[in-house]
Amino acid sequence: MKIALIGYGKMGKLLEIKAKERNHTISKILKNKNWTSQDLMDSDMAIDFSSPDSAVDNIHKAFKANVPIVVGTTGWNKDFDKVKNWCNEYNGAILPSSNFSLGVNIFFEMNRQLSKIMNRQKSYSVKIRETHHTEKVDSPSGTAITTAEIILEEMDHYSNWLSNSSNYGNNLPIIAKRQEGVAGTHEVIYESKIDELSISHKAKNRDGFAIGAIIAAEFLYNKKGLFSMKDVVKF
């Protein structure tokens, strides 16, 4: 595939390396916001790791160019319905994910099953902890939000999630920290008066995120519609 990279930070540079390792070509590197749909015309696929304030516009440009897009940028979920409508309108193809790591997607599925079990155990409360590098813009992380949404689907006694609050009420707590050199750590903790149960995922480096995004792009190639990593890993 000829892949256009949208955003060229640490992830963009790593994607360039991993794409070439899997025998793909980098057709364009779009570092700034002022590019147009015409810039994608010689590409088979776009992969966006840009910023929350530009991701939605980037997706729209890809749809207009009739180029499938994999989106790893997080923090734009409020516009998800708009993007879904555009996908239908342009007969486009998109695969967004808060995290492309295979391990993290296994972590998601384990939490889905565990939260079903723990919903019947009313003596336990639950919270999410996440830690990332200091350069990460959005807080809490998209992965933490996805984890929270999975738990909220299965557990009755939380109405929503809330991050770094002094009073969570009946909201699911997400405790977000930023620490130098941390690729990404997520932990879900169930706690009662007598014991504690936890499940966690710790990224050792960013390679899993980049390789997963390339695999997602390979899956999306020549498809139409809205997909997720669940389609890729076939849970």
Side-chain angles (χ1 to χ4, degrees):
M1 285 186 297
K2 293 182 289 183
I3 299 173
L5 300 179
I6 306 172
Y8 199 59
K10 289 182 179 178
M11 273 303 299
K13 292 179 176 67
L14 186 56
L15 281 165
E16 182 180 17
I17 294 168
K18 296 303 176 183
K20 290 176 179 177
E21 286 178 358
R22 294 179 72 89
N23 298 316
H24 300 300
T25 302
I26 302 303
S27 54
K28 278 283 193 315
I29 295 175
L30 303 168
K31 302 178 185 179
N32 303 312
K33 296 180 182 180
N34 58 350
W35 60 277
T36 69
S37 296
Q38 290 295 122
D39 291 310
L40 294 180
M41 290 305 179
D42 59 347
S43 300
D44 301 313
M45 180 70 56
I47 302 179
D48 182 289
F49 276 87
S50 57
S51 62
D53 62 331
S54 62
V56 174
D57 189 43
N58 295 341
I59 292 166
H60 191 224
K61 290 174 185 176
F63 284 151
K64 286 173 69 177
N66 194 31
V67 172
I69 183 166
V70 167
V71 184
T73 306
T74 57
W76 57 271
N77 275 13
K78 65 183 187 302
D79 293 309
F80 185 81
D81 288 340
K82 181 195 294 185
V83 166
K84 187 176 179 180
N85 290 335
W86 283 341
C87 188
N88 292 329
E89 178 185 346
Y90 288 98
N91 191 28
I94 182 170
L95 197 161
S97 180
S98 60
N99 199 309
F100 289 100
S101 160
L102 175 61
V104 165
N105 281 276
I106 293 171
F107 172 78
F108 287 155
E109 190 62 21
M110 291 171 72
N111 275 292
R112 191 183 312 280
Q113 300 305 321
L114 182 56
S115 57
K116 288 178 182 178
I117 295 169
M118 297 305 288
N119 188 44
R120 300 190 293 269
Q121 309 302 321
K122 304 303 181 185
S123 61
Y124 286 85
S125 62
V126 59
K127 60 187 173 186
I128 298 168
R129 288 188 184 137
E130 66 98 335
T131 307
H132 279 85
H133 52 88
T134 53
E135 294 141 19
K136 186 167 180 61
V137 177
D138 53 322
S139 179
S141 69
T143 301
I145 293 172
T146 299
T147 304
E149 289 172 344
I150 288 169
I151 293 169
L152 289 170
E153 285 177 8
E154 306 298 341
M155 299 196 75
D156 300 330
H157 46 289
Y158 293 102
S159 58
N160 210 328
W161 61 265
L162 189 62
S163 180
N164 291 359
S165 173
S166 59
N167 181 16
Y168 289 101
N170 64 340
N171 295 300
L172 172 61
I174 301 179
I175 302 158
K177 295 182 179 180
R178 296 294 171 262
Q179 185 177 323
E180 193 69 37
V182 178
T185 299
H186 296 85
E187 185 178 19
V188 178
I189 302 117
Y190 291 90
E191 187 173 7
S192 72
K193 292 180 179 180
I194 58 172
D195 61 8
E196 181 178 300
L197 183 155
S198 65
I199 179 171
S200 66
H201 177 273
K202 181 178 181 180
K204 295 182 177 179
N205 52 54
R206 299 173 189 238
D207 287 17
F209 309 143
I211 293 168
I214 301 297
I215 291 171
E218 292 166 353
F219 169 86
L220 191 62
Y221 184 60
N222 281 337
K223 290 184 174 66
K224 296 291 184 182
L226 171 64
F227 298 91
S228 73
M229 281 301 288
K230 287 181 71 175
D231 300 303
V232 179
V233 296
K234 294 180 172 59
F235 287 130

